[in-house]
Amino acid sequence: MEDVNINSLEDTIVALSTPRGRGAIAVVRLSGERSLEIASEIVENSEKLLEQQTHRIARARLLFENGQLLDDALYSLFLKPNSYTGENVVEFSIHCSPFIIANVIDRCCREGARPAEPGEFTQRAFLNGRIDLAQAEAVADLIASEGEAAHRAAISQKEGNLSRRIESIHDNLLETVALLETEIDFSDEDIPIVDKGELLGRMAIIREILVELRDTYQRGRMLREGVRVVIAGAANVGKSTLFNALLKEDRAIVHEQPGTTRDSVSARIEWGGVGIRLVDTAGLGDHLKGPDKAAVTKARAEVKQADLVLWVIDLSESDHELPPADIIDRMLLVGNKSDISVKCEIPSEFKHLMVSALKGTGLTKITDNVLNMLSLDSNSIEIGSDTLTRERHYRAVAEAVESVENAQSALQKERGTELIIADLWESAKHLSSIMGKMTADDVLNRIFGEFCIGK
Amino acid sequence: MDYDVVIVGGGHAGCEAASACARLGVDTLLITQREADLARMSCNPAIGGLAKGHLVKELDALGGIMGWVADRSSIQSRMLNRSKGPAVWSPRVQCDRELYTEGMRRLLGDTSGLDILEDEVADISLSNGAVNGVVTIQSGTINARKVVLCGGTFWNGVIYIGEWQKPAGRIGEDPAVGISDRLEKLGLRRIRLKTGTPPRLDGNTINFNMLERQDGEEEPIWFSSDPPVESLPQRPCFLTYTNEETHDILQGGLDRSPLYTGRIKGVGPRYCPSIEDKIVRFADKNRHQLFIEPEGLQEEEYYINGFATSLPEDVQLKALRTVPGLSDVKMNRPGYAVEYDVFPAEQLSLSLECRIINNLYLAGQINGTSGYEEAAVQGFIAGINAARSILGNDQIVLGRDQAYIGVLIEDLITKIPEEPYRMFTSRAEFRLLLRQDNARQRLLDVAQKIGLVSTRKQQSTKESIDNKDRIIKGLKSTSVLYNGVRMKSAELLKRPEIKLTDLVNFTDFPGEQREFIKIHSQSAFHAEVEIKYNGYLVRQQAQVESFRKMEQLLLPVVMDYESISALSAEARCELNRIRPETLGQASRIPGVRAADVSVLMVLLKKGW
């Protein structure tokens, strides 16, 4: 018999599962067959731990090897299979000191545990069938999510909402396939032929649901990755003032990147629970001297990548730079310096509003308008509880839509039933790739490569 | 007596196995209870049909004999599903039952290296866990290096008609006892399945004027690449229906039905229910269609398709007489149900060799299938593999991407036998590529490897492929004027409403190409299909490629799945039971979830 290397899955693993850094409490998690055994070696009164009921918390004194007190802590016990990983899990809530954390992990390792690889807890949850691929990806999102809305979308996906929704569309598809198959494999039986209108109706419904789902992606992607809002316009219209004013409005600055005036400056902020990357750019416009070519190129690139552009003009000037045509459908025209006398008229075809960055007036209107334009206001987010947040899912759903459309057109043109079925099967296959059925291993590799979580 | 291979059973599986073995050059013995009953059609007098027609064509392409014999006893032929795309067209022929059996008998009789023995096998003989012969009732022990078992419905067969029951393989023929019990004692898992057959009617007592006549196609359709010069006279089938009165009578007999009183424990096929099952399960249907099919050229006896039953004989007759055209009908023989032993095919490898007892092959209905064609292809595969292993050659295993035969065998081994297995086109995930008309072309490589198809035929298949390519090239490089627009012929042909036969008659279609296409009509048809369905075929071909990747990931046969705690409990159990040979096969086992496949994939990556 060939030697099978499955040791690493049988190992009991240990890692810090809260972020490194300052905080009151840190959690060290042990998962694997020997979790209890190992945990019992490092606590005082180990009998108590071994008799502990699952999903209960108890106080424990963690000891050094020589019996001295390491930390006065709590532990939680999750017995298999009802734990996160599907294995026996012990979690120690300890005081957050690098010294204590290092020693608790070290003690576990000396008793037979091994430090977990990045993402290994989630990988095990997946391998033990506790979560499917979509859920596993959602865990990664959950941990990486910065805005509240992204967090909500990830939670919803982790709960399996996306999988459930896809499964129900998948079922619908298979039901239609089954109807059509009877026409082929039982054509010599006395079975009424399925009505073409009914089939078209079924496919239309499936397509509609799929399209709706597909179209959540743009929003989902913005939730997951944050929205790029770029402030642009001619020089000296008050872009940087607006940038700073918007930052001041926001109390939850995540971090700020240093930059020179010639470079783009950006900051992560949160508006209405949505993560926003706000970017300030160098002035554009040919009639101005000043900014060098590199800065202008950079600014143009930022505008191109933006989900939304705040195009700033100076209301106190009679002449102003018009926004480039290609951004008009994702642009909000901001007339700045409304506190000074308004000397120009804003072209009415643009969605616009007036503010004074210096005085701080009209700024919340910017926030509301931006979220509304991107369908990211609280109403839209509530509806989109199952939002596609990953490109892989988006692609699969988009291709599923295409396959259903092929089936519709094949049916319209009265092409062979077997061809319509081939299209519907293809659609079903794209969908099932989201839930991890029929996974090609490159999908798996990509997903597990992305897990830098779970510690 | 010493043989290389002994085949036990002379049904459709046994005959294919025996013929293939002998022609491959190994000393072969076929043992059957009655030589006069070789390749007996126990049920309907037809070969082929939906998906089954594909099997027969594939068998013919590989060097099997069923199609050859069927062509020579055909009294009606049809291409089913012609209104659909060519991938799901299926040929079916009505056969003269006696001519079929005679034809097979003559063919096997003329096969050198093949002996036929009338006897009954009661046991197998073993040494060191491997079969080394069979024990017959009259001739004693016969030594064999390989044994192929094709027991059909004979192993512990019991026939039921109403309250009457009797051990029998077919009506009037004794069952085979002993061998099945022995296999179970040797550790093989055994289950019971059931099937049924309708009454046979006296042709002189049917009023055909009351029936709807159905003729076959004018132009005969052949299975074999070597058809007879002339076809036999053709005979029609007829259509009629049951009615409410029929149903009432059948209903009245249920209290004496072996099915409904629970005496039959075996599971019957859902796709071929008995008439009593139909009226119970589809109570809202006020009529069921019945096909009345001739049993032979002489039209003395008819088979009533759709009326399989095991109700008491008096109920059968009374019910039949309510059917239009049958008011005075006489039954030559009542319908009956037969229950028999099956050894679920998970105990076999894909070559159909038994995994538990060496040198033993199992084929046909004992593996859980139903149908002559399903049996025949298994007999053929088991036969060539038995012979090949004697000759020191590797085993032939067809993939799901190559042939319906591959789909059938893998399904048998991988899926749980809930009912007798019948082939359907929808079971073949790559069916757009696996057409009945291109069986010879797509199986040319395998046929070459097996070596039962003459080099002349192989050469002609090769030429047909070249001709097809030449026609495609021609169509892609020339153009014609259509509605005032100049278009590439191939582009125009993609339109559903344009047929190649119309296209070649365009006045500006190149004359040389036209001639070539007319001469090579078969290749031209293949070219047309490839052009017309190009988008679909390319996509399916891509799916085949990714399928093959999964098939190339080999799983260790001796792996203990119980030890992999990451697998779900059900998957561990099913994997241990079925022992898939590839990851692809594992993924198709019911109960093995996507996550389980991922686990296996991760383990393979970690250096299995």
Side-chain angles (χ1 to χ4, degrees):
Chain A
M1 181 170 161
E2 270 178 272
D3 202 21
V4 179
N5 173 18
I6 49 171
N7 290 339
S8 59
L9 276 174
E10 286 171 349
D11 290 349
T12 295
I13 51 177
V14 62
L16 175 67
S17 60
T18 44
R20 279 179 195 283
R22 285 165 59 192
I25 301 291
V27 175
V28 169
R29 178 190 280 164
L30 262 170
S31 176
E33 202 53 45
R34 297 190 55 233
S35 293
L36 266 73
E37 208 180 302
I38 293 166
S40 69
E41 291 295 328
I42 67 172
V43 299
E44 205 177 54
N45 287 329
S46 59
E47 315 80 50
K48 208 179 100 199
L49 183 142
L50 292 171
E51 285 164 14
Q52 170 100 0
Q53 284 184 325
T54 184
H55 293 75
R56 291 289 168 83
I57 299 173
R59 191 168 164 190
R61 286 161 59 86
L62 307 187
L63 304 177
F64 282 110
E65 213 162 355
N66 62 14
Q68 278 189 326
L69 183 66
L70 167 56
D71 192 21
D72 194 352
L74 298 174
Y75 66 76
S76 321
L77 184 62
F78 307 94
L79 292 180
K80 70 177 178 184
N82 297 317
S83 69
Y84 174 65
T85 55
E87 304 170 332
N88 286 334
V89 168
V90 178
E91 287 182 1
F92 292 113
S93 302
I94 56 180
H95 291 101
C96 187
S97 112
F99 175 78
I100 296 175
I101 294 168
N103 273 287
V104 171
I105 291 176
D106 183 58
R107 286 283 283 129
C108 291
C109 289
R110 278 170 195 276
E111 297 300 337
R114 134 177 102 68
E117 301 289 329
E120 201 170 1
F121 288 116
T122 305
Q123 182 178 344
R124 285 186 176 198
F126 171 70
L127 291 179
N128 287 329
R130 295 289 294 165
I131 53 175
D132 65 23
L133 272 186
Q135 286 172 301
E137 287 169 317
V139 173
D141 287 346
L142 193 55
I143 293 183
S145 69
E146 293 190 36
E148 185 204 337
H151 181 264
R152 242 184 296 158
I155 286 269
S156 160
Q157 184 172 330
K158 181 181 157 286
E159 298 286 303
N161 286 351
L162 179 65
S163 304
R164 266 200 295 280
R165 180 152 170 192
I166 298 228
E167 231 159 87
S168 103
I169 307 172
H170 194 261
D171 279 357
N172 266 331
L173 274 169
L174 294 193
E175 207 178 290
T176 312
V177 166
L179 270 179
L180 286 162
E181 287 289 8
T182 58
E183 274 189 35
I184 293 177
D185 276 336
F186 300 95
S187 59
D188 53 348
E189 305 276 334
D190 189 20
I191 296 172
I193 297 168
V194 197
D195 182 60
K196 187 176 163 186
E198 193 203 321
L199 284 172
L200 284 173
R202 279 172 168 271
M203 288 184 204
I205 292 171
I206 292 170
R207 183 186 166 275
E208 196 181 314
I209 300 172
L210 280 173
V211 165
E212 199 180 290
L213 186 60
R214 179 193 67 191
D215 292 345
T216 64
Y217 173 63
Q218 206 196 346
R219 189 173 68 208
R221 183 191 56 79
M222 288 190 288
L223 286 179
R224 177 168 176 259
E225 292 170 6
V227 182
R228 290 189 83 82
V229 176
V230 173
I231 303 174
N236 297 324
V237 293
K239 296 189 299 297
S240 297
T241 319
L242 180 64
F243 179 76
N244 288 324
L246 286 170
L247 291 198
K248 229 177 276 168
E249 242 346 75
D250 177 73
R251 284 167 305 172
I253 298 173
V254 177
H255 80 274
E256 197 171 337
Q257 265 184 6
T260 67
T261 45
R262 286 190 172 181
D263 216 345
S264 302
V265 181
S266 76
R268 273 204 94 113
I269 54 177
E270 198 176 306
W271 286 350
V274 178
I276 306 274
R277 177 160 294 279
L278 191 64
V279 184
D280 186 19
T281 60
L284 293 168
D286 302 332
H287 65 291
L288 292 162
K289 303 165 236 146
D292 64 318
K293 219 171 169 190
V296 172
T297 312
K298 174 87 174 130
R300 289 216 171 99
E302 290 288 0
V303 167
K304 208 167 175 180
Q305 281 176 33
D307 292 309
L308 199 118
V309 177
L310 298 176
W311 188 267
V312 186
I313 56 170
D314 183 349
L315 292 172
S316 65
E317 295 280 333
S318 52
D319 206 18
H320 50 74
E321 188 76 11
L322 279 175
D326 62 325
I327 65 160
I328 284 173
D329 55 345
R330 52 188 171 98
M331 176 208 69
L332 179 61
L333 193 76
V334 179
N336 191 20
K337 309 189 188 175
S338 65
D339 51 321
I340 315 175
S341 62
V342 176
K343 285 204 180 130
C344 68
E345 247 176 64
I346 296 179
S348 57
E349 71 264 33
F350 297 136
K351 196 168 169 59
H352 64 271
L353 43 83
M354 293 196 269
V355 303
S356 166
L358 198 66
K359 296 260 165 77
T361 55
L363 295 181
T364 51
K365 275 191 294 179
I366 292 187
T367 313
D368 293 346
N369 270 282
V370 166
L371 293 179
N372 185 270
M373 286 172 75
L374 296 169
S375 309
L376 291 172
D377 48 321
S378 50
N379 289 338
S380 318
I381 292 171
E382 216 51 62
I383 298 160
S385 58
D386 38 8
T387 303
L388 295 181
T389 56
R390 295 203 162 239
E391 167 142 26
R392 185 176 83 77
H393 298 173
Y394 166 74
R395 263 173 209 255
V397 175
E399 285 178 48
V401 169
E402 216 173 286
S403 299
V404 171
E405 285 169 353
N406 288 341
Q408 286 176 309
S409 108
L411 179 58
Q412 290 284 14
K413 290 185 199 148
E414 312 217 322
R415 302 200 72 180
T417 314
E418 75 284 4
L419 303 180
I420 303 168
I421 293 172
D423 286 325
L424 293 178
W425 260 124
E426 195 141 307
S427 185
K429 249 182 223 171
H430 287 306
L431 291 184
S432 52
S433 75
I434 295 179
M435 298 174 301
K437 283 176 187 158
M438 290 183 287
T439 51
D441 51 355
D442 56 328
V443 175
L444 267 180
N445 289 343
R446 220 179 324 152
I447 290 161
F448 287 130
E450 205 177 323
F451 282 147
C452 283
I453 53 159
K455 276 207 185 182
Chain B
M1 280 191 280
D2 274 3
Y3 284 93
D4 289 327
V5 182
V6 167
I7 319 281
V8 182
H12 301 280
C15 288
E16 290 289 347
S19 165
C21 276
R23 285 181 293 142
L24 284 175
V26 299
D27 277 342
T28 308
L29 175 69
L30 173 64
I31 306 178
T32 179
Q33 288 185 2
R34 275 187 59 192
E35 199 182 340
D37 284 331
L38 276 180
R40 174 69 56 201
M41 293 179 162
S42 323
C43 201
N44 62 328
I47 297 283
L50 298 166
K52 292 162 175 268
H54 287 75
L55 290 173
V56 183
K57 295 281 269 196
E58 288 175 357
L59 192 51
D60 187 73
L62 295 172
I65 53 179
M66 176 174 249
W68 193 91
V69 177
D71 285 348
R72 281 157 180 77
S73 54
S74 162
I75 54 173
Q76 186 195 97
S77 59
R78 283 176 71 186
M79 185 64 84
L80 304 180
N81 269 347
R82 220 193 256 284
S83 65
K84 318 241 162 35
V88 293
W89 292 3
S90 268
R92 185 183 67 195
V93 304
Q94 300 293 139
C95 290
D96 180 303
R97 190 189 298 277
E98 289 311 316
L99 287 181
Y100 188 87
T101 286
E102 262 173 50
M104 186 63 82
R105 226 171 106 190
R106 210 168 317 127
L107 185 62
L108 293 188
D110 291 346
T111 305
S112 64
L114 172 62
D115 293 338
I116 299 176
L117 175 70
E118 283 195 348
D119 205 336
E120 191 188 326
V121 173
D123 202 355
I124 49 176
S125 62
L126 292 148
S127 89
N128 298 329
V131 168
N132 63 3
V134 295
V135 183
T136 68
I137 289 178
Q138 292 162 43
S139 320
T141 300
I142 298 169
N143 297 322
R145 295 164 71 184
K146 307 279 168 188
V147 171
V148 183
L149 299 177
C150 310
T153 58
F154 278 69
W155 287 358
N156 292 325
V158 176
I159 278 181
Y160 296 85
I161 303 172
E163 289 160 310
W164 178 87
Q165 71 181 69
K166 189 185 177 206
R170 272 191 295 252
I171 200 150
E173 296 178 51
D174 287 335
V177 290
I179 193 161
S180 167
D181 297 351
R182 175 60 182 260
L183 290 180
E184 192 183 39
K185 280 201 197 88
L186 288 168
L188 272 73
R189 193 166 77 85
R190 179 168 72 171
I191 60 171
R192 292 288 271 178
L193 289 180
K194 169 249 155 183
T195 189
T197 192
R200 305 302 193 272
L201 310 179
D202 178 348
N204 297 314
T205 62
I206 300 172
N207 181 359
F208 291 102
N209 294 328
M210 303 280 289
L211 309 179
E212 197 179 307
R213 179 180 165 130
Q214 288 195 325
D215 284 292
E217 299 188 23
E218 302 248 338
E219 211 32 47
I221 289 158
W222 305 119
F223 286 118
S224 159
S225 54
D226 207 359
V229 186
E230 242 180 276
S231 53
L232 295 173
Q234 299 293 287
R235 296 287 179 257
C237 294
F238 300 88
L239 181 61
T240 187
Y241 294 91
T242 61
N243 53 49
E244 309 258 351
E245 199 189 343
T246 326
H247 299 177
D248 288 343
I249 293 168
L250 293 168
Q251 190 82 39
L254 289 182
D255 57 340
R256 289 188 286 151
S257 151
L259 271 179
Y260 285 89
T261 51
R263 278 185 298 129
I264 294 182
K265 299 272 187 291
V267 185
R270 276 171 306 171
Y271 47 80
C272 192
S274 62
I275 188 74
E276 51 267 37
D277 240 4
K278 287 188 210 171
I279 61 155
V280 171
R281 276 168 40 200
F282 309 101
D284 53 329
K285 240 186 135 181
N286 52 19
R287 64 173 206 178
H288 295 281
Q289 67 177 11
L290 303 171
F291 288 98
I292 302 202
E293 305 174 5
E295 294 258 348
L297 272 177
Q298 308 312 322
E299 302 183 296
E300 285 162 345
E301 189 168 82
Y302 280 82
Y303 174 93
I304 179 161
N305 201 342
F307 203 85
T309 180
S310 55
L311 287 171
E313 202 171 336
D314 59 300
V315 178
Q316 294 188 21
L317 187 63
K318 209 173 155 199
L320 279 175
R321 287 190 169 171
T322 63
V323 173
L326 304 182
S327 55
D328 299 316
V329 82
K330 281 189 183 142
M331 292 194 300
N332 288 348
R333 207 182 72 194
Y336 62 85
V338 58
E339 202 182 24
Y340 53 95
D341 287 349
V342 162
F343 289 85
E346 80 230 6
Q347 310 173 91
L348 308 177
S349 60
L350 292 165
S351 65
L352 294 182
E353 186 174 9
C354 183
R355 286 169 156 174
I356 298 160
I357 305 163
N358 288 337
N359 298 337
L360 184 68
Y361 291 77
L362 275 74
Q365 217 150 349
I366 53 170
N367 287 346
T369 54
S370 111
Y372 314 142
E373 304 80 0
E374 286 86 346
V377 299
Q378 291 174 69
F380 180 80
I381 294 292
I384 56 168
N385 281 331
R388 286 176 71 85
S389 86
I390 286 171
L391 299 168
N393 296 324
D394 62 346
Q395 302 282 283
I396 298 277
V397 171
L398 290 166
R400 305 180 73 88
D401 54 329
Q402 286 178 295
Y404 276 68
I405 300 176
V407 175
L408 182 144
I409 293 177
E410 205 222 54
D411 278 355
L412 275 184
I413 291 172
T414 309
K415 308 229 160 105
I416 303 155
E418 282 161 352
E419 62 185 331
Y421 179 99
R422 181 180 134 184
M423 198 68 232
F424 292 115
T425 70
S426 51
R427 297 197 198 264
E429 54 269 62
F430 308 120
R431 75 174 157 200
L432 297 184
L433 302 172
L434 306 183
R435 304 196 310 271
Q436 55 88 25
D437 64 84
N438 69 0
R440 276 198 297 143
Q441 285 74 14
R442 63 183 151 90
L443 290 171
L444 178 61
D445 290 350
V446 190
Q448 244 162 356
K449 191 173 170 190
I450 295 172
L452 287 177
V453 175
S454 70
T455 45
R456 178 184 57 80
K457 277 198 205 167
Q458 288 179 25
Q459 192 53 39
S460 103
T461 304
K462 249 181 243 151
E463 278 163 20
S464 77
I465 296 171
D466 294 344
N467 291 341
K468 176 203 72 185
D469 291 342
R470 183 171 153 186
I471 292 167
I472 291 177
K473 216 173 147 195
L475 291 169
K476 280 185 175 165
S477 60
T478 59
S479 54
V480 289
L481 210 55
Y482 180 68
N483 289 345
V485 185
R486 185 145 286 283
M487 284 183 82
K488 281 259 179 305
S489 305
E491 283 309 308
L492 188 55
L493 193 55
K494 279 184 185 168
R495 300 191 176 184
E497 69 274 17
I498 302 287
K499 291 199 171 64
L500 184 56
T501 44
D502 303 329
L503 182 62
V504 294
N505 289 327
F506 281 30
T507 48
D508 55 346
F509 193 81
E512 183 207 355
Q513 267 191 54
R514 180 184 302 133
E515 282 316 300
F516 193 81
I517 285 171
K518 282 187 174 165
I519 296 166
H520 303 286
S521 59
Q522 180 70 10
S523 297
F525 179 73
H526 291 168
E528 182 176 10
V529 170
E530 279 188 27
I531 289 172
K532 259 199 190 326
Y533 301 97
N534 182 264
Y536 285 94
L537 299 180
V538 165
R539 258 163 32 205
Q540 196 140 85
Q541 194 58 49
Q543 288 165 8
V544 165
E545 298 308 322
S546 67
F547 162 85
R548 283 188 184 148
K549 269 189 205 148
M550 289 279 278
E551 294 311 295
Q552 279 159 8
L553 296 172
L554 300 181
L555 296 174
V557 181
V558 286
M559 178 66 213
D560 178 18
Y561 292 99
E562 278 303 330
S563 71
I564 306 174
S565 54
L567 292 171
S568 70
E570 192 185 2
R572 267 180 273 170
C573 170
E574 289 305 297
L575 288 165
N576 257 352
R577 194 165 67 80
I578 289 171
R579 313 215 143 271
E581 294 173 34
T582 68
L583 190 62
Q585 193 192 348
S587 72
R588 292 185 290 276
I589 298 174
V592 174
R593 301 162 314 156
D596 298 318
V597 176
S598 314
V599 169
L600 294 175
M601 205 181 272
V602 170
L603 292 179
L604 279 172
K605 292 242 148 196
K606 288 190 169 175
W608 205 320

